[in-house]
Amino acid sequence: MTTTIKDSLSRVARWVPHQGPLKDFIHHNTLHAFQEFPFVEGCLRASRLYGAWTFLPLSTYRDLFRNGEVSELAVRESVEESDLPLARELRERQPSDSWSRGLLSDQWGDYAPAPGVAETGLRSRWRSRHRLKLNHRIHPKLFRLLGQFFDQGIAMWEAPHPECRLYDFVRDLVVKSWMPLRPWSSSPVRGLLEGTPEHAIETVLLRFLGPNSEPYFERYLLEMCLAHPGWSGMVSELEHHPEHLLDPRRVSLTEVCALELIAEYAYILMDLGADFEPLIGPENPPPGPLPYQPDYQLEITKPEQVACLWQHAFERSYRLGLIDLLREHRINRPLFALPDYAPKFQAFFCIDDREGSLRRHLEAQDPGIETFGFAGFFGVDCVYQGVDDAFPSKQCPDPVHPKHRIREFRVDSRRDAKSLHHPEIHDDSHSLVRGFVISQTLGLWSAVKLALSIFHPSLNPLATSSLQKVDDTSTLELHRTSESEEEGFFSGYSYEEMADRVERVLLSSGLTAGPMARLILFAGHGASSINNPYFSAYDCGACGGRGGGPNARAVAMMANRPEVRELLRLRGIDIPVSTWFLGSLHDTTRDEMRYFDVEAIPPSHRELFFELQGLMEIAVGLNAKERCGRFANISPKIDPRDAILAVRRRSVSIFEPRPELNHATNAACIVGRRWMTRGLSLNRRCFLNSYEPSLDPDGTILASLLSALVPVGGGINLEYYFSRLDPEVYGAGSKLPHNIQGLIGVINGTEGDLLTGLPTQMTEVHDPLRLLLIVEQTPELALKAIQASAEVEQWVSHHWVQFLCWDYYNGTWHEFRQEGFHPLAILEAVS
């Protein structure tokens, strides 16, 4: 029986949201568990499970059509290519020019999601049959208990030592505390705490569901977990990754379910007595299969079919518009021949959609400037520990498991670290007398400073700022001198490993195809904000939800090493002696640049650096002006200098819930040479990944790019997609009532479940469109690159991202569908 409980809970854990603590908040596909199904089917099954919206309301799609955001041509394509019964009906009964009128008709009824299994399943029978509101009675106590146990430094009393498990913690409170811990201390149920959690679950569920009910244990446990998906997901994640907590705790989903079931049993015995009828019996047959099970019969209603056709038309409208834009750009700007002379400057930026506009504005300052896009960790897969960091932090994509640690250390020993944390004040503030004195002195001054910051906001040490992650007086411990590991990591890289990382960036970006500039910039990115629990979601997703400054600095230092350059020369990559690499960081909220190791720039390159710095200042001003066009309270005609001041005030304003709009409106990713898009405004909606197809005759480089790009870019896109579709189930609702719980998650008010997904202030201007991947390559090599990774192939073949190939030389387009690429017949090739 224990094996049955463990197996059931391992399956339950798959269907609850997977999220880490706030410091490790990383974008991911909200419905990643459903990726084994095709996209629409997976979304519909998730809707039946969670009670969530699958599509936008029909009225929204109709408004988009009337406003011209959904085209007539896109509607015809959507109906023509769909295999839905409604699409076949429209094709058989109506001419193509009337299909949009058919979808605009009210004859199909309205669309709204059905309740999820947590509201209509086995456990709901307590409410429908006995009017028991178990969630209302148990959740506040359970959440308070979990918050205290996981607390990372806020609570007055700390939980027991890290080796103490949650179940033991509660049992000790029940047995040893003078005060009762209800309902777990109730005499009819407290004996269950003396055994194992598995025994408690088995005992209670057999009593709840009746004899021979083991096949339905999983369903009851799932319904219970989905009644508080935030805590369930957090516990499941920390069970398998306790290292996510700086102050670790030992816990399992089994323990939480056992404690909740014991609490339910206590209240049921209290209200119904010991003679209550089981939930399953002759007059109460068990429910049917769950939506993710193979024998579940998925039926799509007519309103859902209408919404599905509208959604496909919405996505095709954007796709057609982007294709037309790229085709017209190619006609007006023929293929650019690289000059024989070296460009004035070259700069690497992250592929992030927020960096595309800055690249455009920088290139507009001088035709001799070239920019490239590469995943913002720049191939430096490491954990990073700054001089003031108590613990190292991961600086690479979530699927990557780093084996290297980079330490920052100060070269100026006269400067001491400035710590914001004063343990003696923190501890004394919890005592009666000293706490009163501290609150009346330091607390009063803090209140005055808070009031002043409302009218005169400024960047202060309490703000979350990526600009503060790298110290001006420090350097990095990059070269590994020992082959022994320390705490599971190598301290730095060998010269061979450094050469591997530099080569990957230069080769895949195509920089080796032309001459190199004398000054090449690597620009990581991060964000500054205050009073924002979602700070990790504003930083670089490729850097594990952290600022990319350390990575940009590290790869520049690697590329400047003579030993690395010699190894690259032997591999056929000859970096000129006159070329210097420089690391930097772009703060996307403040539109501010910071440059690293400026003092190490050779005298021969100083004037060149000052020129680049001046051009960059103009570019960030224009970028800030473009960003201000999206903010409702700032005029789009603002001067660039005033725009800089406006966005920087916005970044430190404690009452500003939108310090920046982050990835909102992201819709596409273009993988190819810069001349596909140089000078073209993509409205900050595209990820831009540099790729030189002529250097990749077998598709190996493209396969490597897609292995990181698809999960990271697709994950960002789909988290915005689903949080916009259903802000309450998949998202986190409005930021305004949010509070931080124990430094690990966000709740509404003072009690409640941990919130998952993104708040509406990050998604309200977002259009829910699947990521459109446009790759400059032949269909044959693109298909080979897709099939090189099982994960990428699942994303593409199940259409969780859309995939197009563009042959830049002849202008032909191919779309991935039905396990392969097919020409887009509706488009004429550009001669």
Side-chain angles (χ1 to χ4, degrees):
M1 183 59 67
T2 298
T3 303
T4 301
I5 299 296
K6 289 182 177 179
D7 292 345
S8 296
L9 280 169
S10 67
R11 289 189 292 269
V12 166
R14 181 181 178 185
W15 307 104
V16 296
H18 282 207
Q19 61 172 354
L22 286 174
K23 72 177 184 65
D24 295 309
F25 190 101
I26 300 176
H27 293 295
H28 66 289
N29 177 11
T30 307
L31 302 185
H32 66 277
F34 289 88
Q35 282 185 214
E36 64 183 75
F37 302 104
F39 177 73
V40 173
E41 181 183 348
C43 291
L44 288 168
R45 287 177 179 269
S47 173
R48 308 300 194 260
L49 184 65
Y50 304 124
W53 288 81
T54 308
F55 310 104
L56 294 170
L58 293 180
S59 59
T60 302
Y61 289 121
R62 289 161 180 162
D63 289 342
L64 290 170
F65 179 77
R66 296 185 182 102
N67 294 336
E69 295 181 63
V70 176
S71 68
E72 183 76 43
L73 176 59
V75 172
R76 289 204 297 269
E77 279 194 20
S78 175
V79 175
E80 184 66 40
E81 297 182 9
S82 174
D83 57 357
L84 290 172
L86 177 60
R88 292 196 295 269
E89 181 179 336
L90 288 174
R91 292 196 295 267
E92 293 170 0
R93 297 186 180 182
Q94 299 181 23
S96 60
D97 58 359
S98 66
W99 290 344
S100 60
R101 291 196 298 273
L103 295 181
L104 288 169
S105 171
D106 293 331
Q107 63 178 307
W108 316 110
D110 202 3
Y111 160 63
V117 298
E119 299 180 29
T120 60
L122 276 173
R123 196 164 169 268
S124 67
R125 296 179 181 181
W126 295 122
R127 183 180 65 253
S128 60
R129 290 171 53 184
H130 304 289
R131 299 183 180 180
L132 294 179
K133 298 181 179 180
L134 295 176
N135 293 343
H136 179 75
R137 299 167 75 176
I138 295 172
H139 285 181
K141 297 179 174 63
L142 180 65
F143 297 164
R144 200 175 300 128
L145 191 66
L146 292 172
Q148 171 69 43
F149 183 77
F150 286 111
D151 180 81
Q152 295 292 290
I154 292 180
M156 183 180 299
W157 291 287
E158 295 183 0
H161 57 85
E163 294 303 313
C164 180
R165 301 198 64 90
L166 173 65
Y167 205 71
D168 299 330
F169 171 60
V170 175
R171 180 169 52 220
D172 288 347
L173 286 176
V174 169
V175 174
K176 299 177 181 179
S177 175
W178 292 358
M179 298 293 292
L181 182 66
R182 300 189 184 279
W184 295 278
S185 58
S186 301
S187 55
V189 300
R190 64 185 300 168
L192 291 172
L193 289 169
E194 297 176 1
T196 65
E198 292 82 1
H199 178 263
I201 292 174
E202 176 187 345
T203 301
V204 176
L205 286 181
L206 281 173
R207 183 65 188 88
F208 281 179
L209 305 181
N212 303 317
S213 58
E214 291 86 352
Y216 303 99
F217 284 6
E218 178 180 337
R219 182 175 190 119
Y220 193 97
L221 292 168
L222 176 66
E223 293 173 10
M224 189 170 65
C225 288
L226 290 182
H228 46 77
W231 273 117
S232 300
M234 181 67 72
V235 168
S236 176
E237 187 73 10
L238 294 177
E239 177 181 358
H240 298 97
H241 299 283
E243 69 276 5
H244 285 341
L245 290 180
L246 298 180
D247 189 8
R249 294 285 182 264
R250 298 183 64 193
V251 70
S252 68
L253 191 60
T254 304
E255 294 172 75
V256 174
C257 289
L259 292 174
E260 188 167 3
L261 281 170
I262 291 171
E264 287 187 4
Y265 195 24
Y267 282 121
I268 290 170
L269 289 175
M270 187 186 308
D271 292 353
L272 303 181
D275 298 330
F276 64 88
E277 291 292 328
L279 296 178
I280 297 176
E283 297 181 0
N284 298 284
L290 290 161
Y292 58 80
Q293 293 175 333
D295 51 348
Y296 179 82
Q297 296 297 317
L298 178 65
E299 297 180 1
I300 178 170
T301 66
K302 276 291 179 64
E304 286 176 327
Q305 294 181 54
V306 174
C308 183
L309 292 173
W310 275 122
Q311 177 63 28
H312 286 170
F314 188 23
E315 293 177 330
R316 285 184 173 273
S317 295
Y318 174 75
R319 185 179 78 170
L320 290 170
L322 182 58
I323 290 175
D324 285 343
L325 189 66
L326 293 172
R327 293 172 69 224
E328 183 180 356
H329 185 66
R330 180 182 180 274
I331 294 171
N332 297 332
R333 189 188 191 102
L335 184 63
F336 182 83
L338 291 174
D340 296 331
Y341 57 88
K344 181 179 291 185
F345 303 109
Q346 289 167 325
F348 283 85
F349 292 85
C350 182
I351 65 173
D352 193 284
D353 46 340
R354 292 168 291 177
E355 298 290 68
S357 55
L358 178 60
R359 291 175 60 185
R360 171 165 42 88
H361 291 303
L362 179 61
E363 291 166 340
Q365 303 308 306
D366 194 306
I369 298 177
E370 289 182 355
T371 69
F372 301 87
F374 193 87
F377 76 114
F378 298 118
V380 183
D381 48 343
C382 68
V383 295
Y384 172 78
Q385 188 165 7
V387 288
D388 295 326
D389 294 339
F391 302 92
S393 57
K394 186 178 178 181
Q395 292 281 150
C396 53
D398 187 49
V400 177
H401 301 287
K403 293 294 293 180
H404 303 269
R405 173 162 53 192
I406 295 178
R407 283 192 177 96
E408 180 188 39
F409 63 93
R410 287 194 175 92
V411 293
D412 186 354
S413 59
R414 294 170 297 178
R415 177 173 174 178
D416 296 325
K418 295 180 179 179
S419 176
L420 294 175
H421 179 59
H422 301 278
E424 66 280 359
I425 295 179
H426 180 269
D427 296 338
D428 289 345
S429 66
H430 288 167
S431 62
L432 180 62
V433 178
R434 291 174 180 172
F436 175 79
V437 173
I438 290 173
S439 64
Q440 296 302 310
T441 53
L442 297 180
L444 180 60
W445 174 238
S446 297
V448 173
K449 290 181 67 177
L450 178 63
L452 290 175
S453 69
I454 294 176
F455 302 101
H456 300 285
S458 61
L459 191 62
N460 60 68
L462 296 179
T464 302
S465 175
S466 294
L467 294 173
Q468 301 170 355
K469 285 298 291 181
V470 180
D471 193 287
D472 288 331
T473 64
S474 71
T475 187
L476 302 182
E477 186 181 53
L478 277 181
H479 183 222
R480 183 169 80 244
T481 57
S482 171
E483 293 302 316
S484 60
E485 295 186 16
E486 181 182 346
E487 298 177 353
F489 299 102
F490 294 111
S491 294
Y493 297 83
S494 68
Y495 290 131
E496 284 281 352
E497 290 167 340
M498 292 184 194
D500 292 341
R501 281 143 184 84
V502 176
E503 179 185 26
R504 188 179 306 141
V505 176
L506 299 182
L507 189 61
S508 63
S509 300
L511 183 57
T512 57
M516 295 188 188
R518 292 181 62 217
L519 184 61
I520 300 179
L521 185 75
F522 283 100
H525 72 95
S528 295
S529 61
I530 196 167
N531 196 26
N532 176 28
Y534 296 92
F535 63 91
S536 290
Y538 283 71
D539 280 335
C540 180
C543 296
R546 295 170 178 86
N551 302 72
R553 187 186 191 190
V555 73
M557 292 176 66
M558 291 177 181
N560 284 329
R561 293 250 186 183
E563 300 88 350
V564 173
R565 293 192 179 195
E566 177 60 23
L567 288 171
L568 290 173
R569 188 186 65 80
L570 296 175
R571 301 179 187 184
I573 300 175
D574 192 4
I575 299 176
V577 177
S578 60
T579 294
W580 186 259
F581 293 86
L582 182 66
S584 66
L585 176 71
H586 174 219
D587 190 317
T588 57
T589 308
R590 297 172 58 80
D591 265 315
E592 185 174 353
M593 293 294 298
R594 181 171 178 180
Y595 303 92
F596 308 127
D597 305 310
V598 174
E599 294 180 357
I601 298 175
S604 58
H605 290 66
R606 290 293 176 90
E607 289 297 325
L608 202 59
F609 165 67
F610 293 142
E611 183 180 356
L612 175 61
Q613 194 176 26
L615 294 174
M616 189 70 79
E617 282 302 307
I618 298 173
V620 295
L622 293 170
N623 194 59
K625 174 181 170 64
E626 182 172 334
R627 289 177 55 212
C628 287
R630 289 189 173 189
F631 299 139
N633 59 348
I634 301 179
S635 170
K637 298 180 181 179
I638 191 172
D639 182 81
R641 289 171 295 184
D642 295 332
I644 285 286
L645 295 176
V647 298
R648 291 180 183 176
R649 283 196 301 267
R650 191 181 186 91
S651 73
V652 293
S653 175
I654 64 172
F655 51 82
E656 177 52 68
R658 304 170 187 84
E660 69 167 85
L661 293 176
N662 206 0
H663 298 289
T665 73
N666 78 83
C669 177
I670 300 176
V671 182
R673 289 170 290 184
R674 178 56 174 161
W675 298 108
M676 294 171 64
T677 55
R678 178 166 179 143
L680 187 62
S681 175
L682 298 169
N683 203 22
R684 295 169 60 87
R685 303 193 70 176
C686 294
F687 300 101
L688 298 174
N689 201 129
S690 296
Y691 171 62
E692 176 56 59
S694 64
L695 299 178
D696 190 24
D698 59 357
T700 304
I701 295 176
L702 181 59
S704 176
L705 290 176
L706 293 180
S707 65
L709 180 62
V710 171
V712 173
I716 291 172
N717 171 268
L718 288 179
E719 184 156 47
Y720 274 81
Y721 182 106
F722 292 117
S723 294
R724 169 65 177 85
L725 274 184
D726 198 319
E728 302 304 323
V729 177
Y730 294 140
S734 173
K735 270 185 181 181
L736 301 183
H738 288 181
N739 281 309
I740 294 178
Q741 170 70 59
L743 296 180
I744 65 168
V746 175
I747 61 175
N748 272 326
T750 58
E751 290 183 343
D753 190 23
L754 294 181
L755 301 175
T756 61
L758 304 175
T760 54
Q761 285 80 3
M762 293 172 66
T763 62
E764 57 196 347
V765 300
H766 185 70
D767 292 328
L769 305 170
R770 279 174 292 171
L771 188 70
L772 175 63
L773 268 163
I774 297 178
V775 174
E776 183 189 5
Q777 189 51 273
T778 64
E780 294 77 16
L781 283 181
L783 182 61
K784 181 180 177 182
I786 291 170
Q787 294 174 340
S789 165
E791 182 183 15
V792 171
E793 185 172 20
Q794 185 184 73
W795 274 87
V796 177
S797 63
H798 288 179
H799 304 289
W800 291 84
V801 295
Q802 302 177 87
F803 204 110
L804 297 180
C805 271
W806 183 21
D807 191 329
Y808 195 97
Y809 291 99
N810 57 33
T812 57
W813 289 82
H814 296 78
E815 176 187 21
F816 186 95
R817 63 177 186 268
Q818 298 176 355
E819 306 304 324
F821 282 97
H822 300 267
L824 285 179
I826 199 168
L827 297 171
E828 296 180 359
V830 179
S831 59

